[in-house]
Amino acid sequence: MVQMTINGKVVKAPDGEMLLTVIRRQGIDVPALCDHAAVEPCGSCRMCLVEITREDWNGWKKYVTSCLYPSENGLIVSTHTPELQEIRRNIMDLYLARCPGSELVQKMAEEYGLTRTSYKTIPEGDNCIMCYACTRICEVLGRNAISAVHRGHAKVISGPFDDPPPDCIGCLSCANICPTDVIEWHDQDGTRAIWGRTFDLISCRQCGKGIITRDFAEYLKEKRQIPADYFEICDDCKRVELARKMGGLVDLAKEVAS
Amino acid sequence: MTYRYTVNPSRCTGCRTCELACAFTHTQEQKPGRSRIYPIAYGPDRFVPVTCLQCDDASCVKSCLFDALKRNETTGAIELDKDRCVNCRACVAACPFGCALVDDVHDQVVKCDLCGGSPACARFCPTKALEYKRIA
């Protein structure tokens, strides 16, 4: 355990735990766009910046991304100084220029009193904030299907060589984790389209409802040894099936007893 | 102390009190459709309250690629960590009993967590078809 001071309060935390986790546990709301519990932090959104200093630093201080800075003894952390709020406001101003269509960005910018950006909006902007949440979750999944391609202004998240990703299994983890909802997908007639690819959805044997993609089921079967027949019926029909089977046993037990 | 959640379908009258208790406890809304337990009729006036059986070797836990589902050793329930869940629906597809559900209102995966050690369905069940008993 280490001892730190956060906003004037003495706080104990496990050695090496990231500052953002410790700060949030104290009930202090530090904004972040790229943070998610299931993925490794990467410090790309810059919103979780905090000011750190130590007694032996003689008044010297620095700004660090709290999601990437490990706790250490004697750290003095401030989370909402006027300078930090100014930095966060400027970052939101830039995000607003890059992603004018994102509801989350608009909402967060409003908290800093911004309704429109003071910069020039990117005309062909796509609302992607380049936080890499999608590529990081794909990495955790073990597929690494998508990553950043091209350089500079042309940088986008896509499959290798900006082609449809061959390793994608259509699980939608990337689309669901995306903070600005830019990853487009749709289910139609038993197929799912995402990243320029079309996947076959397994349809429930009984009601025809789409369950998950065949590739995803295949991957779960191979990686986590889930029997393939578990994926053939949808959850609604499985519950009815369970009631029928359990009910059969109850009736049988009653018959035997009488 | 070890507790076990038991379902005794022969005592179930299909009154659906458990559904309401569950929905209200978890969502603060009296909408039975948002429950984690469903009494399903398998014959005239014969019901089975279908809910998560907290399997020992659970498919949902095995299928979760993000470690969002973990067993709470105190209550015995498999709990869903909402912060880690990315809604990939692997557990929904993998559960052989269909008891990892999708809350349509929030489009999010939900499952029975035994209310953290005091299941509302068992407390409200008038016929004791649902019980949460101490076994050791």
CSV table of all heavy atoms in Angstrom, one decimal, chain B residues 1 5-6 8 27 29-31 36 47 52-53 57 65 79 84 92 94 97-98 101 105 112 115 122 126 133 135:
chain,number,residue,atom,x,y,z
B,1,MET,N,-20.3,-19.8,6.1
B,1,MET,CA,-21.7,-20.1,5.8
B,1,MET,C,-21.9,-20.2,4.3
B,1,MET,O,-21.5,-19.3,3.5
B,1,MET,CB,-22.6,-18.9,6.4
B,1,MET,CG,-22.9,-19.1,7.8
B,1,MET,SD,-24.1,-17.9,8.3
B,1,MET,CE,-23.2,-16.4,8.4
B,5,TYR,N,-29.5,-21.5,-3.5
B,5,TYR,CA,-30.8,-21.0,-4.1
B,5,TYR,C,-31.5,-22.2,-4.7
B,5,TYR,O,-30.9,-23.0,-5.5
B,5,TYR,CB,-30.5,-20.0,-5.2
B,5,TYR,CG,-31.7,-19.4,-5.8
B,5,TYR,CD1,-32.4,-18.4,-5.2
B,5,TYR,CD2,-32.2,-19.9,-7.1
B,5,TYR,CE1,-33.5,-17.8,-5.8
B,5,TYR,CE2,-33.3,-19.3,-7.7
B,5,TYR,CZ,-33.9,-18.3,-7.0
B,5,TYR,OH,-35.1,-17.7,-7.6
B,6,THR,N,-32.7,-22.5,-4.3
B,6,THR,CA,-33.4,-23.7,-4.8
B,6,THR,C,-34.7,-23.3,-5.5
B,6,THR,O,-35.4,-22.4,-5.0
B,6,THR,CB,-33.7,-24.7,-3.7
B,6,THR,OG1,-34.5,-24.0,-2.7
B,6,THR,CG2,-32.5,-25.3,-3.1
B,8,ASN,N,-38.3,-25.0,-6.6
B,8,ASN,CA,-39.1,-26.2,-6.5
B,8,ASN,C,-40.4,-26.0,-7.4
B,8,ASN,O,-41.4,-25.5,-6.9
B,8,ASN,CB,-39.5,-26.4,-5.0
B,8,ASN,CG,-40.2,-27.7,-4.8
B,8,ASN,OD1,-40.7,-28.4,-5.8
B,8,ASN,ND2,-40.2,-28.2,-3.6
B,27,THR,N,-34.4,-2.7,-11.5
B,27,THR,CA,-34.6,-1.6,-12.4
B,27,THR,C,-35.4,-0.4,-11.8
B,27,THR,O,-35.6,0.6,-12.4
B,27,THR,CB,-35.2,-2.0,-13.7
B,27,THR,OG1,-36.6,-2.4,-13.4
B,27,THR,CG2,-34.5,-3.1,-14.3
B,29,GLU,N,-38.4,-0.4,-11.7
B,29,GLU,CA,-39.6,-0.2,-12.5
B,29,GLU,C,-40.5,-1.5,-12.4
B,29,GLU,O,-40.0,-2.6,-12.3
B,29,GLU,CB,-39.2,-0.1,-14.0
B,29,GLU,CG,-38.8,1.3,-14.4
B,29,GLU,CD,-38.5,1.3,-15.9
B,29,GLU,OE1,-39.5,1.3,-16.7
B,29,GLU,OE2,-37.3,1.3,-16.2
B,30,GLN,N,-41.8,-1.3,-12.4
B,30,GLN,CA,-42.7,-2.4,-12.3
B,30,GLN,C,-43.0,-3.0,-13.7
B,30,GLN,O,-44.1,-3.1,-14.1
B,30,GLN,CB,-44.0,-2.1,-11.6
B,30,GLN,CG,-43.8,-1.9,-10.1
B,30,GLN,CD,-44.3,-0.5,-9.7
B,30,GLN,OE1,-43.9,0.5,-10.3
B,30,GLN,NE2,-45.0,-0.5,-8.6
B,31,LYS,N,-41.9,-3.4,-14.4
B,31,LYS,CA,-42.1,-4.0,-15.7
B,31,LYS,C,-41.6,-5.4,-15.7
B,31,LYS,O,-40.4,-5.6,-15.7
B,31,LYS,CB,-41.3,-3.2,-16.7
B,31,LYS,CG,-41.9,-1.8,-17.1
B,31,LYS,CD,-41.2,-1.1,-18.2
B,31,LYS,CE,-41.8,0.2,-18.4
B,31,LYS,NZ,-40.8,1.1,-19.1
B,36,ARG,N,-35.2,-10.9,-14.3
B,36,ARG,CA,-34.2,-11.9,-14.6
B,36,ARG,C,-34.7,-13.3,-14.3
B,36,ARG,O,-34.0,-14.3,-14.4
B,36,ARG,CB,-32.9,-11.7,-13.8
B,36,ARG,CG,-32.0,-10.6,-14.2
B,36,ARG,CD,-32.0,-9.5,-13.2
B,36,ARG,NE,-31.1,-8.4,-13.5
B,36,ARG,CZ,-31.4,-7.3,-14.0
B,36,ARG,NH1,-32.6,-7.0,-14.4
B,36,ARG,NH2,-30.5,-6.4,-14.2
B,47,PHE,N,-46.2,-24.6,-13.8
B,47,PHE,CA,-45.1,-23.6,-14.2
B,47,PHE,C,-43.8,-24.0,-13.6
B,47,PHE,O,-43.7,-24.7,-12.7
B,47,PHE,CB,-45.5,-22.3,-13.5
B,47,PHE,CG,-46.7,-21.7,-14.1
B,47,PHE,CD1,-48.0,-22.0,-13.5
B,47,PHE,CD2,-46.7,-20.8,-15.1
B,47,PHE,CE1,-49.1,-21.4,-14.0
B,47,PHE,CE2,-47.9,-20.2,-15.6
B,47,PHE,CZ,-49.1,-20.5,-15.0
B,52,CYS,N,-31.4,-18.1,-13.6
B,52,CYS,CA,-30.0,-18.6,-13.6
B,52,CYS,C,-29.7,-19.7,-12.5
B,52,CYS,O,-30.1,-19.5,-11.4
B,52,CYS,CB,-29.0,-17.5,-13.5
B,52,CYS,SG,-27.3,-18.0,-13.4
B,53,LEU,N,-29.1,-20.8,-12.9
B,53,LEU,CA,-28.9,-21.8,-12.0
B,53,LEU,C,-27.5,-21.7,-11.3
B,53,LEU,O,-27.1,-22.6,-10.6
B,53,LEU,CB,-29.0,-23.2,-12.7
B,53,LEU,CG,-30.4,-23.4,-13.4
B,53,LEU,CD1,-30.4,-24.6,-14.2
B,53,LEU,CD2,-31.5,-23.5,-12.4
B,57,ASP,N,-19.7,-25.3,-13.4
B,57,ASP,CA,-18.8,-25.1,-14.6
B,57,ASP,C,-19.6,-24.3,-15.6
B,57,ASP,O,-20.1,-24.9,-16.6
B,57,ASP,CB,-18.4,-26.5,-15.1
B,57,ASP,CG,-17.4,-26.4,-16.2
B,57,ASP,OD1,-16.7,-25.4,-16.3
B,57,ASP,OD2,-17.3,-27.4,-17.0
B,65,LEU,N,-14.9,-13.4,-22.9
B,65,LEU,CA,-13.5,-13.2,-23.3
B,65,LEU,C,-12.9,-12.0,-22.6
B,65,LEU,O,-11.7,-11.7,-22.7
B,65,LEU,CB,-13.4,-12.9,-24.8
B,65,LEU,CG,-13.9,-14.1,-25.7
B,65,LEU,CD1,-14.3,-13.7,-27.1
B,65,LEU,CD2,-12.8,-15.2,-25.7
B,79,GLU,N,-21.6,-13.1,-11.0
B,79,GLU,CA,-22.0,-11.7,-11.2
B,79,GLU,C,-21.4,-11.1,-12.4
B,79,GLU,O,-20.3,-11.4,-12.8
B,79,GLU,CB,-21.6,-10.9,-9.9
B,79,GLU,CG,-22.4,-11.2,-8.7
B,79,GLU,CD,-22.0,-10.5,-7.5
B,79,GLU,OE1,-20.9,-9.8,-7.5
B,79,GLU,OE2,-22.6,-10.7,-6.4
B,84,ARG,N,-16.8,-4.0,-17.2
B,84,ARG,CA,-16.0,-4.8,-18.1
B,84,ARG,C,-16.8,-5.3,-19.3
B,84,ARG,O,-16.2,-5.7,-20.3
B,84,ARG,CB,-15.3,-5.9,-17.4
B,84,ARG,CG,-14.3,-5.6,-16.4
B,84,ARG,CD,-13.6,-6.8,-15.8
B,84,ARG,NE,-12.7,-7.3,-16.7
B,84,ARG,CZ,-11.4,-7.0,-16.7
B,84,ARG,NH1,-10.9,-6.1,-15.8
B,84,ARG,NH2,-10.5,-7.5,-17.6
B,92,VAL,N,-24.9,-14.7,-23.7
B,92,VAL,CA,-26.3,-15.0,-24.0
B,92,VAL,C,-26.4,-16.1,-24.9
B,92,VAL,O,-27.3,-17.0,-24.8
B,92,VAL,CB,-26.9,-13.7,-24.6
B,92,VAL,CG1,-28.3,-13.9,-25.0
B,92,VAL,CG2,-26.7,-12.5,-23.7
B,94,ALA,N,-24.1,-18.5,-25.3
B,94,ALA,CA,-23.4,-19.8,-24.7
B,94,ALA,C,-24.2,-20.4,-23.6
B,94,ALA,O,-24.1,-21.6,-23.4
B,94,ALA,CB,-22.0,-19.4,-24.3
B,97,PHE,N,-29.1,-22.6,-20.9
B,97,PHE,CA,-30.5,-22.5,-20.3
B,97,PHE,C,-31.1,-21.2,-20.7
B,97,PHE,O,-32.2,-20.8,-20.2
B,97,PHE,CB,-30.5,-22.7,-18.8
B,97,PHE,CG,-29.8,-23.9,-18.4
B,97,PHE,CD1,-28.6,-23.9,-17.7
B,97,PHE,CD2,-30.3,-25.2,-18.8
B,97,PHE,CE1,-27.9,-25.1,-17.3
B,97,PHE,CE2,-29.6,-26.3,-18.4
B,97,PHE,CZ,-28.5,-26.3,-17.7
B,98,GLY,N,-30.4,-20.3,-21.4
B,98,GLY,CA,-30.9,-19.0,-21.8
B,98,GLY,C,-31.1,-18.1,-20.7
B,98,GLY,O,-32.0,-17.2,-20.7
B,101,LEU,N,-29.5,-12.8,-20.0
B,101,LEU,CA,-30.5,-12.1,-20.8
B,101,LEU,C,-30.1,-10.8,-21.4
B,101,LEU,O,-29.1,-10.2,-21.0
B,101,LEU,CB,-31.8,-11.9,-19.9
B,101,LEU,CG,-32.3,-13.0,-19.1
B,101,LEU,CD1,-32.9,-12.4,-17.9
B,101,LEU,CD2,-33.3,-13.8,-19.8
B,105,VAL,N,-34.5,-2.6,-22.9
B,105,VAL,CA,-34.6,-1.1,-22.7
B,105,VAL,C,-33.3,-0.5,-22.8
B,105,VAL,O,-33.1,0.5,-23.5
B,105,VAL,CB,-35.3,-0.8,-21.3
B,105,VAL,CG1,-35.3,0.7,-21.1
B,105,VAL,CG2,-36.6,-1.4,-21.2
B,112,CYS,N,-28.9,-12.9,-13.4
B,112,CYS,CA,-29.3,-13.0,-11.9
B,112,CYS,C,-28.0,-12.9,-11.1
B,112,CYS,O,-27.0,-13.6,-11.4
B,112,CYS,CB,-30.0,-14.3,-11.7
B,112,CYS,SG,-30.2,-14.6,-9.9
B,115,CYS,N,-29.3,-10.9,-6.0
B,115,CYS,CA,-29.4,-9.7,-5.3
B,115,CYS,C,-28.3,-9.4,-4.3
B,115,CYS,O,-28.6,-8.9,-3.2
B,115,CYS,CB,-30.8,-9.6,-4.7
B,115,CYS,SG,-32.2,-9.6,-5.8
B,122,ALA,N,-37.0,-14.9,-3.9
B,122,ALA,CA,-37.2,-15.9,-2.8
B,122,ALA,C,-38.0,-15.2,-1.6
B,122,ALA,O,-38.8,-15.9,-1.0
B,122,ALA,CB,-35.9,-16.5,-2.4
B,126,PRO,N,-44.7,-16.5,-2.5
B,126,PRO,CA,-45.7,-16.8,-1.4
B,126,PRO,C,-45.8,-18.3,-1.1
B,126,PRO,O,-46.2,-18.7,0.0
B,126,PRO,CB,-47.0,-16.3,-2.0
B,126,PRO,CG,-46.8,-16.2,-3.4
B,126,PRO,CD,-45.4,-16.0,-3.7
B,133,LYS,N,-31.6,-21.0,0.9
B,133,LYS,CA,-31.4,-21.7,2.2
B,133,LYS,C,-29.9,-21.9,2.6
B,133,LYS,O,-29.1,-22.0,1.7
B,133,LYS,CB,-32.0,-23.2,2.1
B,133,LYS,CG,-33.5,-23.2,2.1
B,133,LYS,CD,-34.0,-24.6,2.2
B,133,LYS,CE,-33.9,-25.4,0.9
B,133,LYS,NZ,-34.8,-26.5,0.8
B,135,ILE,N,-27.0,-24.0,3.8
B,135,ILE,CA,-26.8,-25.4,3.7
B,135,ILE,C,-25.6,-25.9,4.5
B,135,ILE,O,-25.4,-27.0,4.8
B,135,ILE,CB,-26.6,-25.9,2.2
B,135,ILE,CG1,-25.5,-25.1,1.5
B,135,ILE,CG2,-27.9,-25.9,1.5
B,135,ILE,CD1,-25.0,-25.8,0.2
